[in-house]
Structure formats: structure tokens, C-alpha cells
Amino acid sequence: MGADPAEDGGGGVNPWPYILAAYLLAAVGLLCYLLSVSRRTKAMVAQIATLRRFSKDTMR
Amino acid sequence: MTRKSKLLMGAIIVAAALSYLIYGGIREAAVYYITPAELHEKGASAADRSFRLGGMVVPGSVHWDPGTLQLTFRLTDGKEQVAVMHTGSPPDLFKEGTGAIVEGKYMSGNLFIASTILAKHSEEYRPPQAGQAQAKDLYRTLMKPPEERR
Amino acid sequence: MIGRGLERALGILAVIGLVTGLYTGFLYAPPDAVQGEVQRIMYLHVPLILVSYFAFFVVFVTSILYLARRCERHDAIAHSSAEIGVLFTALAIAAGSIWGRPTWGTWWTWDARLTTTTILLLIFIGYLMLRALVDDPSRGATFGAVLGIIGFLDVPIIHMSVVWWRTLHQPASVLRPGPSTVAPDMQVALYTNLAAFVLLYGYFLVKRVRLEKARWELIRLRMEGAA
């Protein structure tokens, strides 16, 4: 008679899929955020440059 | 304008979810589970109603039939005991002498039919005892009843 | 302006820290006696949530400073830190959920710890939406500061939730009174990863504040152009 269910089959879920999923998800999330900040900064800087050029042109 | 209205809709959904969680969620979470003694106090009014019941799995009370997947055990809070029946395999950390929380219906005759079994674990983290287990066969050894370990 | 040198140094240190953290978490630290290998998710989950608490603490302090002095710099840090805090909280919840499935036996449950943490995430998602909705920078900053201060007050409630209420979540292993409940070898892995994530937070914050300053510059130029 099994005192513990896991002894008679089913016992011990493989932990690695869970560990890898957690770490990979975090890695992807952090990298995506880093890319998003860089992308947004680049877009801002480009807009600033355009505006500066434009204001110089109109001043002339 | 469309970006703004989308944002506004999102903000309203977030605000609604927040108020629901703050008013309803916290009240429900405050009584996350009841103990066997509290269940017994309810007496006959508890019969046929759904609860979340928490306690320690009484050592020696676990019976498991791998053929029918029938699991029975008793939960205790040190004062009272409740017999629990469940169909299906419980989480790996479910063991005699540790905490468990079950969700389901209380029947008459001090029997609880659980649809879900949750294993509670402590905040203590330590390596396996020397010679107890290597990482590889850790799982098998862990699954032995408490008396056989150590 | 904070130098590019600091940003680069923080980035390099964070990468070194994260690699060391992976080494200590997966190779140096032993598996747990009760949970086995899956306990290694703790070295990700706990640093993520602790750093998110810290990020919201930074929001709290800089929001108070903003209301007291009306200095744009403080608002830039508050806004940036809130965004990073939302990211870290969301990832901590995801990692915790993945950890919960093989240990507790469920991805999710509405106990007090999980409920109050979800509330924290929603408050600061609301904060970011509010900031995006309000066009006037100084009004947005004032509303944000008030919400940021109130929102942070949920952090001590989360921390105490496992003491005040019955939960499925276990009590705190760090930031607790009394001796540590974590074995020394595991503490090495835990604190290495915590340090790495603090450095990563610093790197993200410097980068994000730079974006915020570029945004002001753009607003200023547009206003000059319109005038």
C-alpha cells in the first residue's frame, strides 16, 4: 500500500522546464525593455534634430 | 485621438480591476482558508457548502490507490481533524506532516471532497542532508515517507 | 547630465553580476532538500520582487521631493523608476507563478500576498497610463507624484501580508526578524543575484532618465516652435 502517491508512478515532475521557462521569460522581458528604451530614445533624438534643423531654417 | 481614447479605456479597466481587488479581493483573501476546528464550529450549517480548508496532513493518514487515483488523508489544526477525499495526484510537495490547503465541498459525516490540493511549504531553504541525496535522485528519495528519510 | 561613463560602468557591472548570479544560482548553490532543483527559481523571483519594491520606494521619495520642490529632475526619476518597477513586478509575478505550479500545485491563487502584489502592479500600470494621458507636463507630474506616494504604501502591506493573514505563500525569507532561514550557500546565490539586479536597475534607470530628458527637450523645442 503506497503511503505516498508519488511513490507509485507519477512521482517527481521534471523541474527543468519550469526553471528554464522562468529564467528565459525574465531574460526576454528585460531585453525587450532595454530595446524599447533605446528605440524610444533614438526616435526622440531624431525628432529633436529635425526640429532644430527646422527652426534654424526658418530663422534664416 | 484614437491612441488617447484607447489609453483612457485601458485606464478605466485598470481602475475597475483595482477597485474590485481592493474591496472584494482583500476581504476574500483575509479569510483565505479555515481550519478543521473552525469548520466543526460551523456545525450542520457547513454541510454541502464549498470551503478552502487548511491544516497539517496527519502522519500515517495518507492512503493512495494508484489504480483509481483515489487519495484520502486527514487534515488537522492540532485540535480537530477532517477526512479529505480527492481524485487525482497531489502536488509533489504534498507529504505527511506538512501543510496543505484543499478546495472543495464539505459533506456530512466529517468528510471533505477536495477538487484541488495545494501544498504549503516553509520559508526554510537548505541543502539535502549529507549522503541523503544527489541532485539526480533527489526526487525519488524525497518521495519516501518521512520515517524512512534521514 | 549623468555621464555616459556611469551608464556604461553600470551596464558592464550588471552583466558581470548577472553571469556570476547564474553561476552561483545554478552551480554553486545546492538543490533544496524539500523542493529539489526547482527552488533555483527563488534566485530570480526574490531579487526581482525586492528590486521592484526598491524601485517603488524611489518613486515614493522622488515624488515627495517633487511635490516639495517642483524640480523636474525628481519627476524624471519617479516616472522612470515607476516604469522599471512595473517591469520587475510583472516578471517577479510570472517567475513566482511558474515556481508555484510544481511546488504549490497551482499557477495562481487569490491569497493575500498574491492579491496585494497584483494590486501594486495595477496601481503602477495605472500610474504609467495617467502619465501618458495627461499632456500638461507639470500637471502630469503632480498627479503622478500623488499616485506614486499612495501606491508605494502597498509595499509594506505586501511584506506584512503573510504575517497578518493566512496565505498559501510562505513567510519572508529575507527582510525578516531573527536568524536567516536560508542555508549559507544559498544565501551567497541569493545576495549575488540581488546585487546583480540592483545594478541592472541602476543601469535601466540611468538610460530611462536620459529618455525622459530627451522628451522634455522635444516638448521645449515644440513650444518654442509654436510661439
Side-chain angles (χ1 to χ4, degrees):
Chain A
M1 184 186 63
D4 203 301
E7 229 182 24
D8 312 292
V13 172
N14 180 8
W16 290 105
Y18 295 97
I19 300 170
L20 285 179
Y23 276 87
L24 282 178
L25 190 68
V28 169
L30 294 170
L31 275 176
C32 281
Y33 182 70
L34 202 59
L35 281 176
S36 146
V37 173
S38 299
R39 204 172 39 78
R40 283 184 283 169
T41 309
K42 264 185 203 141
M44 289 284 171
V45 170
Q47 272 184 297
I48 290 169
T50 322
L51 270 179
R52 283 218 174 108
R53 214 176 303 126
F54 178 74
S55 59
K56 259 184 209 152
D57 287 347
T58 47
M59 285 230 260
R60 236 178 264 149
Chain B
M1 193 56 211
T2 47
R3 192 190 78 99
K4 273 255 155 129
S5 45
K6 263 187 210 158
L7 253 175
L8 194 64
M9 238 167 59
I12 290 167
I13 292 169
V14 168
L18 250 181
S19 35
Y20 175 76
L21 273 185
I22 290 171
Y23 292 110
I26 293 204
R27 194 174 309 136
E28 235 173 81
V31 280
Y32 181 65
Y33 61 82
I34 60 169
T35 66
E38 285 163 359
L39 186 64
H40 282 173
E41 259 171 44
K42 291 180 188 289
S45 70
D48 245 25
R49 280 179 53 201
S50 293
F51 293 99
R52 206 183 268 123
L53 182 73
M56 193 187 84
V57 182
V58 177
S61 73
V62 177
H63 292 274
W64 163 253
D65 182 346
T68 58
L69 291 176
Q70 283 291 321
L71 175 73
T72 58
F73 58 95
R74 289 196 307 277
L75 273 183
T76 183
D77 52 5
K79 288 176 247 163
E80 303 276 353
Q81 293 193 357
V82 174
V84 182
M85 228 174 96
H86 174 74
T87 308
S89 39
D92 280 357
L93 293 194
F94 175 85
K95 279 204 305 280
E96 293 181 344
T98 65
I101 293 167
V102 298
E103 294 172 348
K105 229 176 197 177
Y106 185 61
M107 302 306 191
S108 48
N110 196 26
L111 180 68
F112 195 97
I113 304 290
S115 54
T116 310
I117 294 183
L118 305 171
K120 216 171 139 60
H121 65 82
S122 79
E123 73 279 28
E124 284 173 30
Y125 302 96
R126 58 195 157 71
Q129 307 284 317
Q132 180 201 344
Q134 291 304 308
K136 264 271 172 71
D137 51 32
L138 190 67
Y139 268 76
R140 288 223 63 79
T141 34
L142 279 171
M143 290 313 149
K144 285 184 179 154
E147 314 86 63
E148 283 176 44
R149 274 200 286 126
R150 282 169 191 248
Chain C
M1 176 153 184
I2 300 170
R4 292 287 182 117
L6 174 70
E7 184 184 319
R8 186 159 300 158
L10 278 169
I12 292 168
L13 284 174
V15 169
I16 293 172
L18 289 171
V19 171
T20 318
L22 285 175
Y23 170 76
T24 54
F26 281 92
L27 298 168
Y28 179 79
D32 182 64
V34 177
Q35 300 185 18
E37 302 289 342
V38 81
Q39 178 266 340
R40 297 186 193 280
I41 296 177
M42 181 176 84
Y43 307 127
L44 177 69
H45 172 72
V46 173
L48 278 172
I49 197 68
L50 288 180
V51 171
S52 84
Y53 290 173
F54 179 68
F56 295 131
F57 177 67
V58 169
V59 176
F60 178 72
V61 172
T62 48
S63 294
I64 291 174
L65 285 173
Y66 177 78
L67 290 182
R69 299 189 197 154
R70 302 277 161 185
C71 168
E72 281 181 335
R73 247 188 79 78
H74 293 138
D75 176 58
I77 297 173
H79 192 171
S80 303
S81 195
E83 197 177 279
I84 302 165
V86 165
L87 171 76
F88 277 47
T89 309
L91 291 177
I93 289 176
S97 172
I98 295 171
W99 189 12
R101 178 62 230 185
T103 52
W104 294 341
T106 187
W107 298 103
W108 191 263
T109 190
W110 289 106
D111 82 348
R113 172 57 74 90
L114 277 66
T115 304
T116 49
T117 310
T118 307
I119 289 172
L120 182 75
L121 181 66
L122 287 178
I123 289 174
F124 281 95
I125 286 176
Y127 173 101
L128 295 180
M129 286 177 155
L130 178 78
R131 299 303 308 256
L133 269 171
V134 181
D135 283 324
D136 178 359
S138 78
R139 268 179 32 139
T142 306
F143 293 163
V146 173
L147 186 56
I149 291 165
I150 296 170
F152 171 75
L153 299 180
D154 189 28
V155 169
I157 296 176
I158 295 174
H159 190 70
M160 295 310 290
S161 63
V162 284
V163 179
W164 291 341
W165 297 295
R166 291 172 185 167
T167 57
L168 177 61
H169 197 287
Q170 61 285 358
S173 299
V174 283
L175 296 177
R176 73 196 296 281
S180 175
T181 60
V182 182
D185 284 354
M186 295 171 160
Q187 280 183 40
V188 170
L190 186 58
Y191 293 122
T192 307
N193 279 287
L194 182 60
F197 278 100
V198 169
L199 289 167
L200 190 68
Y201 164 77
Y203 175 61
F204 280 9
L205 187 68
V206 172
K207 267 185 106 69
R208 182 60 181 76
V209 166
R210 200 147 53 77
L211 166 61
E212 199 60 18
K213 289 189 171 164
R215 209 167 58 87
W216 294 342
E217 178 75 16
L218 191 63
I219 292 170
R220 213 168 291 135
L221 281 171
R222 283 212 178 115
M223 271 163 41
E224 279 170 21

